[in-house]
Amino acid sequence: MKQRSIALLGCGTVGRGLVELIRKNRALIAERSGVDLTISKILVRDMGKDRGDVDRSLLTCRPEEVITNGSDVVVELIGGIEPARTFIARAIGEGKNVVTANKAVLAHSGAELFRAAAARNVRIGFEASVGGGIPIVRALTCGLVGDRILEISGIVNGTCNYILTRMAEEKLSFAQALAAAQKEGFAEADPSLDIDGIDAAQKLEILAELAFGLQLDPGRVRVQGIRDIDLEDLQSAEALGYVVKHVAIAKDLGRELDLRVHPAFLPKNHPLAHVRHEFNAVRLKGDAVGEMIFHGKGAGGSPTASAVLSDIIDLVKGDTGPVHLPEPVEKPVAPDIESEYYLRFPILDVPGVIGLIATALGNRGVSISHASATLVRGAPDKGSVKILAHRCRESVLRKSVDEIARLPVLTGKPVVLRILEEVT
Ligand SMILES: NC(=O)c1ccc[n+]([C@@H]2O[C@H](COP(=O)([O-])OP(=O)(O)OC[C@H]3O[C@@H](n4cnc5c(N)ncnc54)[C@H](OP(=O)(O)O)[C@@H]3O)[C@@H](O)[C@H]2O)c1
């Protein structure tokens, strides 16, 4: 039996989940892997905080006690860019293998950290950085190593999915669903990174790099969050045979990449339409294996700790595993994609308003497959027009929508959502 120890940076949701998982399943882990795992030290900010059953003698506020002690692996579970980046770089400098769950630091400084790790002949495990407990990194780097990945699509932000599910199923407003997500621990006090799509974009960058073997500059993903989604949009979707989901899509189009995260209408029979609450799913298409879908808990202390632990065991067993060191490749992100669209225009209830909107769309060749209006008796400023547009280029549609947004009959911002008929 190999005796191996790990040092933890951070003992929050995931850190505590990992401590608990090792305590609970230490014998099972040893039986399966031949490794008896112990924790040597844990870095925290606040020594006085209640941490349940965590052995307080392991806690310290001094990073050097964690990074430079004799542990075999340093596990970064602090989150954010700094000081996580500096601590990871120092651990690599000490010749330590590192495991992290931190997509933000990888999206921001991944290339630099992976280069440093390669130079010191150590590795960085990052399974938990995408999809929580879903072993998607290992699938892409090991299980499907022989496949050319053609495309990836998924639901990779549990907060957005939880909010959209509660809105759709319980007819909650966006604000009510967000408050519920915060109460249940599925959204941060400041939920911006999640609901504005940044977190999903960072995860998609990691997935796209793995899938297509590219090194992407940060910020390459086209991002739209869910702040503007109204209960009315979910109800329209339901009536028309769709659900609204926040999706992440990566396709290698040859000369260009299509990389985007945005809310979309999905037909009710779409494989991602059934992913509810905080669950995540990643769907991918390989040239040999065909299509597959991974579904599971994308967040939470215990599921995320499960993914962290799989990296730790991989590293301490000395498996060769994935060495993530993609080459920088200049591939522009496709500026303009074709899609069908759902449009909602908040309007004043005055004669001819639907005609004005239809004309502005028709003038640029955007044709309409469905139109409906909701008008509130006695409240002429509470109306809305909902339209499904046939497949068209986004740039063309945007020009029409901008023109409509300037009409005096508009009472608010138009909502534009893509319809994902099928990922092709
Ligand atoms: N939570 C999830 O469901 C989930 C899912 C997937 C990935 N992740 C990723 O996992 C990582 C950890 O997330 P989490 O939810 O566990 O975070 P968290 O609950 O906020 O815990 C962060 C921990 O890091 C410590 N810490 C923060 N700044 C520090 C500093 N400057 N010096 C020393 N210690 C510091 C905190 O110490 P104190 O306890 O003393 O404040 C805390 O123990 C993040 O990268 C996150 O994106 C989380």
Side-chain angles (χ1 to χ4, degrees):
M1 183 74 63
K2 290 182 188 172
Q3 302 292 325
R4 294 291 182 263
S5 75
I6 58 169
L8 303 193
L9 301 166
C11 192
T13 306
V14 183
R16 278 181 67 173
L18 183 63
V19 172
E20 176 55 26
L21 184 61
I22 293 173
R23 180 177 23 239
K24 193 174 72 170
N25 286 353
R26 187 168 163 188
L28 177 76
I29 297 162
E31 187 188 314
R32 288 211 180 129
S33 65
V35 175
D36 184 30
L37 206 59
T38 51
I39 299 172
S40 62
K41 214 71 194 161
I42 306 176
L43 180 73
V44 293
R45 252 181 322 205
D46 177 358
M47 293 289 282
K49 210 185 242 182
D50 176 23
R51 298 177 200 275
D53 293 339
V54 175
D55 179 353
R56 301 194 70 80
S57 70
L58 297 178
L59 301 180
T60 177
C61 279
R62 296 159 58 87
E64 59 280 8
E65 283 185 25
V66 180
I67 295 169
T68 58
N69 75 16
S71 64
D72 298 285
V73 179
V74 172
V75 184
E76 185 277 307
L77 299 171
I78 288 178
I81 293 165
E82 288 295 352
R85 191 197 63 83
T86 302
F87 291 164
I88 294 174
R90 276 169 63 186
I92 292 169
E94 291 289 323
K96 304 275 178 141
N97 287 311
V98 172
V99 173
T100 180
N102 188 339
K103 63 245 140 196
V105 82
L106 293 179
H108 183 270
S109 306
E112 161 205 328
L113 293 171
F114 284 112
R115 264 198 306 276
R120 284 302 310 249
N121 203 22
V122 294
R123 287 176 38 221
I124 304 174
F126 53 100
E127 180 65 74
S129 64
V130 188
I134 301 174
I136 186 66
V137 172
R138 199 154 270 100
L140 284 168
T141 52
C142 299
L144 301 173
V145 70
D147 272 67
R148 185 173 300 282
I149 304 298
L150 307 170
E151 64 186 57
I152 296 183
S153 58
I155 292 173
V156 294
N157 185 273
T159 306
C160 287
N161 205 45
Y162 187 84
I163 291 172
L164 292 172
T165 307
R166 294 284 305 260
M167 286 175 78
E169 295 185 3
E170 294 164 49
K171 313 281 175 267
L172 301 185
S173 68
F174 177 79
Q176 286 170 325
L178 172 58
Q182 284 167 324
K183 188 161 167 246
E184 297 296 324
F186 294 121
E188 305 275 344
D190 175 0
S192 319
L193 283 180
D194 292 311
I195 64 176
D196 291 335
I198 314 293
D199 171 89
Q202 289 172 338
K203 291 170 177 166
L204 187 70
E205 278 176 18
I206 295 172
L207 287 177
E209 286 201 350
L210 289 172
F212 306 138
L214 306 170
Q215 183 187 303
L216 297 169
D217 296 329
R220 296 282 302 279
V221 177
R222 289 151 55 91
V223 183
Q224 186 186 348
I226 61 166
R227 263 182 215 270
D228 295 334
I229 305 287
D230 195 278
L231 178 55
E232 199 179 349
D233 301 315
L234 294 151
Q235 288 173 327
S236 300
E238 164 73 24
L240 293 162
Y242 296 94
V243 293
V244 179
K245 294 284 174 194
H246 190 257
V247 294
I249 293 172
K251 290 186 218 174
D252 190 347
L253 304 174
R255 290 201 188 129
E256 293 176 326
L257 295 172
D258 182 7
L259 296 177
R260 52 199 161 97
V261 301
H262 55 78
F265 270 37
L266 270 58
K268 284 180 184 168
N269 61 359
H270 191 285
L272 297 178
H274 310 289
V275 181
R276 295 171 65 239
H277 290 126
E278 76 274 25
F279 277 78
N280 281 197
V282 179
R283 184 181 183 216
L284 49 83
K285 203 186 270 179
D287 64 349
V289 76
E291 227 179 78
M292 19 183 34
I293 189 157
F294 296 78
H295 181 247
K297 285 198 175 150
S302 181
T304 312
S306 156
V308 169
L309 189 74
S310 73
D311 276 340
I312 295 169
I313 293 299
D314 221 22
L315 290 173
V316 296
K317 277 170 70 184
D319 285 358
T320 49
V323 178
H324 180 58
L325 200 59
E327 287 298 309
V329 177
E330 274 308 309
K331 262 197 193 191
V333 173
D336 198 11
I337 55 161
E338 268 195 13
S339 174
E340 294 177 33
Y341 285 92
Y342 160 84
L343 312 169
R344 173 168 58 83
F345 299 102
I347 49 133
L348 269 183
D349 180 9
V350 291
V353 60
I354 297 179
L356 285 172
I357 291 172
T359 305
L361 292 168
N363 284 345
R364 288 196 173 79
V366 177
S367 67
I368 294 172
S369 61
H370 165 94
S372 63
T374 307
L375 303 169
V376 183
R377 194 184 292 270
D381 58 342
K382 294 271 184 291
S384 66
V385 170
K386 271 96 62 179
I387 283 174
L388 297 188
H390 278 301
R391 205 173 168 82
C392 62
R393 296 207 78 79
E394 186 180 4
S395 56
V396 173
L397 182 94
R398 290 276 172 198
K399 280 183 194 151
S400 297
V401 171
D402 288 349
E403 186 184 319
I404 296 167
R406 290 192 294 272
L407 292 173
V409 290
L410 263 279
T411 57
K413 225 165 89 178
V415 169
V416 178
L417 300 181
R418 297 185 181 95
I419 299 176
L420 216 68
E421 273 310 331
E422 185 49 327
V423 188
T424 51

